[in-house]
Amino acid sequence: MTSQISEPYKIGDGYKAMLQFQSTNVNENQQILNDQNSKNKLTLSDKLKNWSIQGFENHNIRDELNRIMSTSEIFKSNELDITKEANRVLVLKQVLEITRGIFEKGLIQITDLRDDPSKILAFIDIVSQFDDPSLMTKLIVNNFLFGAAVFNLGTDRHHKLLPDIQSGRLLGCFAMTELGHGSNVRSLETTATYDPKTDEFIIQTPYRTSTKWWIGNAAHAQIASVFARLIMDDGKDHEVHCFLVPIRKSNGFDLLPGVKIGDVGAKFGLHGVDNGWIQFDKVRIPSSNLLDRFGSVENGVYSSPIKNPSRRFANILAQMITGRITISFGSTRTLKSGIIIATRYACKRLQFGPTSTSPEIPILSYPTHQLAIMPMIASTYAFDAIKIYLGKRFQERTDEAEIHVLASGLKAITSQFTTVSLVELRKLCGGHGYAGYSRLGKILSSIDVGRTFEGDNTLLLQQVAKDLLTQFKKEYSGNKFTGTLKYLGKNTSLLLSGMNPITTMRSDDTHLLSFQFLLDCMEFRSSKLLIQSAQTVSKNYKKTKESFTAWNQSLEILIHLAKAHTETIILQKFIEKVQIEKDLELSSILKKLCQLYGLYIIREDFEFFRNSNYLKKGKAKAIIKLIGQLCSDLSQQAMVLVKGFGNEEYMINSALGMEEGDLYENICKQVGGPFTKDNYIQSKL
């Protein structure tokens, strides 16, 4: 769909009071180049856009979302100038507009988590571009956290609620996190005690630290999916299960008896999300409100298809994997927004020239700028490649363990990279990047929490490392590495045999740019770290005789291992996508991006490669030189590459990032008017 590009933002009052000037023209040659790019390179941008959404195109969903969000007035409000409460009401209206326009019409169902996840990924890909990330967060909370809990953890009697949930007629919240426990879900303190006399559960907040905390949708939800300890009347604690607990009357405002809810207070960002705290005081619910796929109570007796409590708990949490996948997709799309803004600004912003009288040049012409932005662009396309693979695996569901490890690692990598990159992108836009009209501050303040919710990144990387060590143990007890871990079997065997993995001292461009060299480097690093991690944990266990302490003392190398493995898989899948691409123009540019990504990741971990004696000094210098050359080369097509991200132009909403128009004209449209009397000490007037 080609959307009509409407006025991207509300024009500030000050613009009318300013002197009016003609638009500033860039130099003639630059204008000719821009014209040529717009005519000759548009097809490449379209190809890149189509490539990046393979497997989750679903154009009917994308088109309808774009129609709703580009035409409805409630998506055009400037929430910078409204109160927190008004912002929350605005976002609620936006949520209802989308749930009724998309879900109620049947374009997407919550059951597509199982039936067709590509629809949900397409949905996230569009909504995550919106100016206020509060919208996507609130939609995910209602439909893909609360709704997913009902679908994945409940049974047929609970699934009857799904149509009302997804259409917004029944708003819910996902009450897992507590004041005293976030990451350690297994130690949650809220209790659900079974009363055999009434066949009910009594939901209770026994301690202050048991208070449900950071609960999104807390102001608007009528019902909560509450994670609590299931305790039978004999006192037996069957650990954490999920319960449906009504919290408000049908009017959506009045609280039910025994329920207390409040606002958690000011936040960094996401001001349109009603995060709150919830406490329960002897709140009774029917036993049928237990989401009983993995544990049920019938005739006063608890039973579960999974007898081992640890395995049962793992299965309950595994059903929440959708949240991590949506963060990976949403973070990458948000990263694209930031890069588009900074790149377009860098192409239009002119500073300095060869002499004091020479024409000034775009700041993207400077190597320092290229070295900062171009690896981000390359990394973004690498994330697209792994997203395509993850989306496909999520759709097939043939190896849940592989999906869990990959989704956990990718969520940690993408959310961290996005947040750190946005800080740098703000700096690259100078003072204008700090202004509200850049949009970068709003994006950064809202996306940063992605490193925490749906699993703290450090803990997710530990999960990846733990799985790798488990597979490593199996490999040498007869069971072989499978799926994306196959490469580890080959390389760990090589390293354990004492063979030197270095087969050449070459440092020529052909060798360093070859996919084989890039893969060899990455796979060597992961395999070496896997062996070292196993040895480190074993050594620490022999010293301490405590597995918990031994693991904690090994965390530095374990986190390194998890990052290295995830980055290896990203590069693997990027290379595979490039190698099967038949369009020569597309494959040529993707190949350069892939080469830059691989070399960039290697350079980021030069310490490991040098300490492992894998890269000699001359080879490291050659890599640094090649990175600079690739950045310079690719920067000539920077505008095409960010256009290829496929972001909807009407949702860029940044004075610095508009594709059309004069940069300074766009900025001036955002300024305020003359200072009012409210800016002054009244007694002085």
Side-chain angles (χ1 to χ4, degrees):
M1 172 182 175
T2 303
S3 303
Q4 291 292 324
I5 301 177
S6 56
E7 185 67 33
Y9 38 65
K10 182 181 179 182
I11 296 178
D13 294 335
Y15 183 65
K16 300 171 184 177
M18 296 178 70
L19 296 173
Q20 299 301 302
F21 299 89
Q22 292 183 346
S23 297
T24 306
N25 290 320
V26 296
N27 66 68
E28 185 177 350
N29 289 336
Q30 183 66 40
Q31 189 62 54
I32 292 173
L33 179 61
N34 289 342
D35 291 342
Q36 289 175 342
N37 281 342
S38 65
K39 292 177 182 178
N40 301 331
K41 298 298 183 179
L42 181 60
T43 23
L44 177 56
S45 294
D46 287 339
K47 291 175 184 177
L48 287 165
K49 176 183 177 180
N50 293 334
W51 177 86
S52 69
I53 61 172
Q54 291 178 59
F56 56 100
E57 296 89 343
N58 299 100
H59 291 296
N60 62 326
I61 294 172
R62 293 172 181 270
D63 290 350
E64 184 60 15
L65 276 169
N66 279 317
R67 185 195 67 77
I68 293 171
M69 298 173 74
S70 64
T71 59
S72 175
E73 289 299 319
I74 65 170
F75 292 98
K76 298 178 182 179
S77 300
N78 186 351
E79 75 281 355
L80 284 176
D81 301 325
I82 62 177
T83 65
K84 175 180 68 176
E85 290 75 17
N87 194 1
R88 291 172 172 176
V89 172
L90 174 63
V91 174
L92 175 60
K93 290 179 179 178
Q94 292 167 345
V95 166
L96 295 176
E97 185 92 357
I98 288 178
T99 54
R100 290 165 186 171
I102 299 296
F103 289 86
E104 195 162 39
K105 290 182 178 179
L107 291 175
I108 308 176
Q109 308 284 338
I110 291 177
T111 53
D112 284 322
L113 288 166
R114 175 196 62 208
D115 300 336
D116 191 356
S118 71
K119 293 181 179 180
I120 295 169
L121 300 180
F123 175 84
I124 296 297
D125 200 40
I126 294 295
V127 178
S128 58
Q129 299 178 46
F130 186 60
D131 183 53
D132 184 1
S134 299
L135 172 62
M136 186 182 76
T137 302
K138 199 168 172 74
L139 279 165
I140 288 176
V141 166
N142 191 77
N143 286 28
F144 303 130
L145 288 181
F146 171 68
V150 174
F151 176 61
N152 289 320
L153 302 180
T155 48
D156 289 344
R157 61 184 174 189
H158 308 110
H159 294 168
K160 296 175 182 179
L161 298 173
L162 293 177
D164 283 345
I165 294 171
Q166 63 193 17
S167 65
R169 289 191 296 270
L170 178 62
L171 295 175
C173 59
F174 186 76
M176 176 182 281
T177 301
E178 294 178 354
L179 177 60
H181 290 91
S183 300
N184 188 7
V185 178
R186 198 169 183 180
S187 293
L188 293 178
E189 297 173 332
T190 301
T191 58
T193 305
Y194 182 70
D195 182 353
K197 297 178 181 178
T198 58
D199 193 27
E200 294 175 319
F201 284 103
I202 304 170
I203 311 299
Q204 183 68 35
T205 302
Y207 315 108
R208 175 182 293 147
T209 50
S210 316
T211 305
K212 293 299 180 180
W213 208 261
W214 283 120
I215 308 306
N217 229 12
H220 300 139
Q222 291 178 249
I223 188 169
S225 54
V226 177
F227 286 79
R229 313 194 72 79
L230 193 160
I231 300 174
M232 294 302 293
D233 53 307
D234 61 0
K236 173 70 174 177
D237 184 345
H238 291 280
E239 300 195 15
V240 176
H241 288 63
C242 188
F243 303 81
L244 292 179
V245 183
I247 56 178
R248 282 189 174 88
K249 296 180 180 179
S250 58
N251 62 12
F253 176 76
D254 293 319
L255 297 177
L256 291 172
V259 178
K260 293 182 179 181
I261 300 180
D263 194 331
V264 296
K267 302 171 291 186
F268 268 34
L270 294 175
H271 303 302
V273 179
D274 44 323
N275 293 102
W277 54 264
I278 306 177
Q279 293 179 335
F280 304 97
D281 184 16
K282 300 181 180 65
V283 175
R284 288 180 170 268
I285 60 171
S287 65
S288 58
N289 281 26
L290 165 65
L291 297 179
D292 55 356
R293 178 180 173 188
F294 296 108
S296 61
V297 175
E298 297 291 340
N299 300 317
V301 178
Y302 175 84
S303 63
S304 171
I306 304 173
K307 302 305 179 184
N308 184 288
S310 296
R311 285 187 55 231
R312 181 168 61 242
F313 176 72
N315 271 271
I316 290 174
L317 288 192
Q319 305 308 310
M320 302 294 107
I321 197 67
T322 307
R324 293 171 188 171
I325 294 175
T326 57
I327 288 175
S328 296
F329 275 68
S331 292
T332 303
R333 181 55 77 180
T334 302
L335 174 62
K336 290 180 177 181
S337 298
I339 294 175
I340 289 171
I341 293 168
T343 301
R344 288 177 174 172
Y345 176 79
C347 289
K348 292 184 177 184
R349 175 75 164 178
L350 310 179
Q351 293 289 289
F352 304 107
T355 69
S356 60
T357 57
S358 300
E360 293 183 292
I361 64 174
I363 59 177
L364 190 58
S365 300
Y366 294 102
T368 49
H369 224 86
Q370 297 167 3
L371 286 167
I373 286 185
M374 301 318 297
M376 294 184 195
I377 293 177
S379 298
T380 302
Y381 278 104
F383 295 159
D384 279 338
I386 192 64
K387 278 166 45 191
I388 295 168
Y389 176 77
L390 178 58
K392 183 172 180 289
R393 302 295 290 117
F394 190 46
Q395 181 101 359
E396 296 169 347
R397 296 293 182 96
T398 53
D399 189 341
E400 295 283 354
E402 180 192 2
I403 296 171
H404 173 74
V405 171
L406 183 55
S408 298
L410 190 59
K411 183 267 185 185
I413 293 294
T414 56
S415 60
Q416 172 71 10
F417 186 85
T418 295
T419 303
V420 172
S421 296
L422 283 168
V423 173
E424 182 68 12
L425 291 167
R426 199 293 306 160
K427 186 186 77 172
L428 292 174
C429 292
H432 287 304
Y434 193 70
Y437 53 70
S438 78
R439 191 190 166 201
L440 292 172
K442 185 194 299 184
I443 295 175
L444 178 60
S445 64
S446 297
I447 201 66
D448 182 31
V449 73
R451 297 189 287 181
T452 300
F453 61 24
E454 295 309 302
D456 177 85
N457 284 355
T458 301
L459 287 178
L460 292 184
L461 290 172
Q462 287 185 62
Q463 290 180 17
V464 174
K466 183 178 180 181
D467 186 81
L468 293 174
L469 288 177
T470 301
Q471 296 296 325
F472 180 67
K473 182 178 180 180
K474 290 180 179 178
E475 170 78 0
Y476 294 98
S477 61
N479 297 311
K480 300 299 181 183
F481 285 113
T482 60
T484 52
L485 306 182
K486 285 183 179 179
Y487 78 92
L488 290 169
K490 173 190 69 176
N491 287 281
T492 52
S493 297
L494 177 68
L495 291 170
L496 285 171
S497 68
M499 293 176 62
N500 190 337
I502 303 176
T503 59
T504 176
M505 298 295 292
R506 291 172 58 187
S507 60
D508 56 280
D509 291 359
T510 302
H511 168 63
L512 295 178
L513 290 173
S514 69
F515 285 161
Q516 190 60 56
F517 166 73
L518 298 176
L519 270 180
D520 284 347
C521 274
M522 300 289 277
E523 292 181 354
F524 168 79
R525 179 178 63 151
S526 299
S527 303
K528 180 85 171 176
L529 286 169
L530 178 56
I531 293 172
Q532 291 176 338
S533 295
Q535 293 171 340
T536 301
V537 174
S538 177
K539 180 180 178 181
N540 287 331
Y541 181 74
K542 288 178 181 178
K543 285 182 180 179
T544 65
K545 303 301 180 184
E546 293 182 2
S547 57
F548 181 78
T549 303
W551 181 267
N552 285 341
Q553 291 179 350
S554 310
L555 280 180
E556 183 177 4
I557 192 170
L558 291 168
I559 298 301
H560 194 177
L561 164 64
K563 290 179 179 177
H565 169 70
T566 304
E567 289 170 347
T568 298
I569 301 304
I570 293 173
L571 181 64
Q572 280 182 357
K573 299 309 171 185
F574 198 0
I575 289 174
E576 288 176 10
K577 291 297 296 180
V578 174
Q579 289 177 330
I580 64 173
E581 181 54 56
K582 296 179 181 178
D583 185 287
L584 295 180
E585 182 185 33
L586 183 56
S587 64
S588 176
I589 193 72
L590 288 173
K591 182 177 180 180
K592 289 182 180 180
L593 291 165
C594 188
Q595 290 167 333
L596 176 56
Y597 174 74
L599 291 174
Y600 165 75
I601 293 299
I602 292 169
R603 181 178 180 179
E604 287 292 290
D605 208 359
F606 261 1
E607 181 182 2
F608 168 83
F609 289 108
R610 294 299 300 276
N611 289 342
S612 301
N613 203 32
Y614 195 85
L615 295 179
K616 297 296 185 181
K617 185 177 181 180
K619 204 162 190 173
K621 285 184 175 180
I623 287 174
I624 293 173
K625 181 181 177 181
L626 264 181
I627 290 174
Q629 291 174 354
L630 282 168
C631 287
S632 177
D633 184 17
L634 287 166
S635 70
Q636 305 306 307
Q637 295 179 286
M639 292 287 272
V640 175
L641 291 171
V642 297
K643 181 73 172 177
F645 286 164
N647 283 49
E648 303 295 336
E649 290 295 334
Y650 75 92
M651 285 199 278
I652 295 297
N653 206 20
S654 165
L656 310 188
M658 305 312 297
E659 183 178 32
E660 305 294 339
D662 176 72
L663 171 64
Y664 302 108
E665 179 86 357
N666 289 336
I667 289 174
C668 289
K669 287 180 179 179
Q670 287 284 276
V671 301
F675 289 108
T676 65
K677 291 183 178 181
D678 293 336
N679 289 276
Y680 300 89
I681 300 174
Q682 297 301 306
S683 62
K684 301 276 187 182
L685 298 179

